[in-house]
Amino acid sequence: MPHILIVEDETIIRSALRRLLERNQYQVSEAGSVQEAQERFTIPTFDLIVSDLRLPGAPGTELIKLGQGTPVLIMTSYASLRSAVDSMKMGAVDYIAKPFDHDEMLQAVARILRDRQSAPAASEAAASKPTNGNGKAAADNSNGDIGIIGSCPPMQDLYSKIRKVAPTDSNVLVQGESGTGKELVARALHNLSKRAKAPMISVNCAAIPESLIESELFGHEKGAFTGASAGRAGLVEAADGGTLFLDEIGELPLEAQARLLRVLQEGEIRRVGSVQSQKVDVRLIAATHRDLKSLAKIGQFREDLYYRLHVIALKLPALRERGADVNEIANAFLARQSARINRTDLKFAADAEQAIRHYSWPGNVRELENAVERAVILSESPEISADLLGIDIELSDLEDDEFIGLPPQTGGNASNSSHEPTEDLSLEDYFQHFVLEHQDHMTETELARKLGVSRKCLWERRQRLGIPRRKTGVASES
């Protein structure tokens, strides 16, 4: 079981993070400062250190040196984003902005631990490779440098394109259904580029309120709007010298699209409320599951921005189109989840292998991962059956536990009995009914709060159920 050290001076945040990690099968120790961590623990013995950047006494970056190679994940507020990027240059393995989404934190922790486990094996494999006459390792056809599982022909073609495109500074548009792994493609492009040592800043355009998106991306000056008590850098500025990954760029408002176009054309940004521009050197990778060309024709996406983005287009196939890859990916998830609960005897039964291979996986790789995690947790015998995977039930039953529980308390006219779920109404049906009923007079934030989910979770369910987001007739998100 991986052992994680949390260093955070705010007790509430520290306790909440400890409980989150312990619920997900991690062993956790905690401290309120770097000095306390030194006094109580042997820091290099931990598998991962999660630390706030600003701590009483010494900053969290001191743990990079004290950890002697232990990966350090830095937590910081958006106001300190530039400092977080600087901490990565000092050796931090990654950063996460506060307040963070629980899923985002768990994904970051799992990825860092997975990378740490695979690093020694990769080094050993590289050392054992045959060399050519110049002493360099001979080339092979593996996709280890890409970091994506799968070897079907469409994926092999994708890997080839990634290797060709990565060393350039060309803008890249990654297309594919939700859950296919578009961020993995972006990370591979970054890691294989000359910008690999600089930060890669990832932004989900659908997860940020429309009223805040320009400030988040481009920064703002003090007094630029109500509540702007201090100036701060935006995410584009934080990615200077590195890569900016904009996920679901089709959700970006038109005003923000115009500002982004200036970044691509002129290589400069202007903070909200500022009269001066500043140069930035950023490579843009965008991703979407939507048809941007069609959106451009009906005026919902800038046509000039589309052509700027569409320099290189990479298409990720859906999981149902990847043949035997689905079983390979499922086994990788099984190994990962088994390791987290210290079980080495788990395997898929024959009927489970068949079900995995022939199920359509509308939620793609994300749905497959959820199904395997669920099966591993519930399994009481070494063999995981198809029934235990639960892949023949409603998609909502495969979601994370954010939507599990009592129906939301809607209040007002939403409390009418006609809006309450019945025995014949699934959670998925109830979600769809509630959103369609109330999206004309509720903001996305209010809808998410009433449903008891995060904005990001609400957006993802919209995509899965095909419920378009209304952009007019809704109260301001401010």
Side-chain angles (χ1 to χ4, degrees), residues 342-363:
N342 294 321
R343 290 192 64 174
T344 59
D345 59 334
L346 292 177
K347 64 178 181 179
F348 292 118
D351 65 334
E353 293 276 2
Q354 285 287 90
I356 289 170
R357 177 66 180 83
H358 296 291
Y359 181 57
S360 63
W361 298 110

Side-chain angles (χ1 to χ4, degrees), residues 107 148-149 155 174-185 204 245 247-248 287-290 316-320 322 326 329 333 360-370 399 456 459-461 463-464:
Q107 289 169 7
I148 303 176
I149 300 171
M155 292 303 292
V174 185
Q175 298 169 305
E177 296 179 8
S178 294
T180 49
K182 295 187 286 292
E183 185 166 359
L184 291 179
V185 173
N204 187 322
F245 173 57
D247 196 8
E248 294 307 337
T288 184
H289 74 287
R290 306 182 69 181
L316 255 174
L319 189 55
R320 61 185 172 274
R322 294 179 57 179
V326 64
I329 297 170
F333 287 148
S360 63
W361 298 110
N364 291 295
V365 178
R366 187 182 294 120
E367 182 188 0
L368 173 60
E369 184 175 17
N370 288 345
E399 299 282 1
K456 180 179 178 183
W459 175 81
E460 288 180 342
R461 286 186 173 88
Q463 308 311 307
R464 293 186 186 184

Side-chain angles (χ1 to χ4, degrees), residues 329-402:
I329 297 170
N331 282 305
F333 287 148
L334 177 61
R336 184 187 306 169
Q337 297 298 334
S338 298
R340 289 177 63 177
I341 62 172
N342 294 321
R343 290 192 64 174
T344 59
D345 59 334
L346 292 177
K347 64 178 181 179
F348 292 118
D351 65 334
E353 293 276 2
Q354 285 287 90
I356 289 170
R357 177 66 180 83
H358 296 291
Y359 181 57
S360 63
W361 298 110
N364 291 295
V365 178
R366 187 182 294 120
E367 182 188 0
L368 173 60
E369 184 175 17
N370 288 345
V372 173
E373 180 178 1
R374 177 178 180 272
V376 167
I377 292 172
L378 298 178
S379 176
E380 296 179 354
S381 65
E383 282 204 341
I384 294 176
S385 66
D387 290 339
L388 200 56
L389 284 167
I391 56 178
D392 59 338
I393 61 175
E394 295 283 358
L395 276 176
S396 57
D397 293 333
L398 295 178
E399 299 282 1
D400 54 69
D401 60 2
E402 282 185 289

